[in-house]
Amino acid sequence: MLKTALFCMLSLFTVPAAAGPADDAATVVTTTLDKFNAGDIDAFFAAHEDGALIVDEFAPYVWGGPNSAQRWAADYMKDAAKRGIAGGHMDHAAAIQASSDGSSAYIVVPTTYRFAEHGRKMAARGSMTFVMARRDAGWKIASWTYAGEKPVPE
C-alpha cells in the first residue's frame, strides 16, 4: 500500500523528456520549410550543406556538388516558368519518422505541394525525406528527396 502511494505521488512530479537529436533535426527541417514558404530563400540555402544531394520531380532530377541548393532553385524556376507554375508552396505536417544516431538523422515529412498552373489551383500530396548532418553550427541538410502524387485541381 505504501509503495503504491509513493509511486502515485512520484508520478505527479514527472519531468518532461528533453528533445533528442532526432527531434532537433526534425525541427530544423520544418523551420527550413516554413522559411522557404515565407520567401526566405537565403535561409533555405543556408540550411543546406554545400554539395547537398537533392532529388526532385523535374529535370535534371538530381543535383549535387557545389551550390546544389542554389542550382536546384534556379532549375525549379526555369521549370515553373516553362509549365506556367506560380506560387509554389510546400505545406507540411510534423515528421512521421525521425531517427538519429546523434551525428546524422533521417526525417520523413508528409507534404502537400500547392501551386497555380496557368492560374488554376493545383495540389499534390507527397512526402519529403531528409538526411541531416550535425555540424559545429548545428543540423544541416545533407540530402533531401521529394516524392508526390500527380497534381490535381484543388
Side-chain angles (χ1 to χ4, degrees), residues 8-148:
C8 289
M9 286 178 26
L10 287 174
S11 67
L12 295 174
F13 300 103
T14 59
V15 177
D23 296 325
D24 293 342
T27 297
V28 170
V29 165
T30 56
T31 299
T32 299
L33 290 174
D34 291 342
K35 288 180 178 181
F36 177 81
N37 287 333
D40 190 349
I41 195 71
D42 290 333
F44 177 77
F45 293 151
H48 289 76
E49 288 192 318
D50 190 34
L53 182 63
I54 299 170
V55 177
D56 207 345
E57 65 180 350
F58 57 91
Y61 307 107
V62 65
W63 296 261
N67 300 311
S68 55
Q70 291 85 344
R71 289 185 292 107
W72 168 85
D75 288 342
Y76 171 82
M77 296 304 292
K78 286 182 213 169
D79 182 71
K82 181 173 87 177
R83 294 174 40 202
I85 291 175
H89 192 272
M90 187 61 75
D91 291 334
H92 63 86
I96 58 172
Q97 184 170 338
S99 59
S100 175
D101 64 3
S103 62
S104 59
Y106 178 82
I107 312 295
V108 180
V109 179
T111 62
T112 301
Y113 175 46
R114 289 189 164 85
F115 58 95
E117 186 171 16
H118 301 290
R120 186 176 190 189
K121 290 184 179 183
M122 304 290 285
R125 291 184 309 172
S127 66
M128 293 182 78
T129 301
F130 293 82
V131 175
M132 306 294 287
R134 183 175 281 200
R135 302 295 181 232
D136 290 340
W139 288 103
K140 292 286 189 175
I141 298 169
S143 177
W144 63 264
T145 63
Y146 169 75

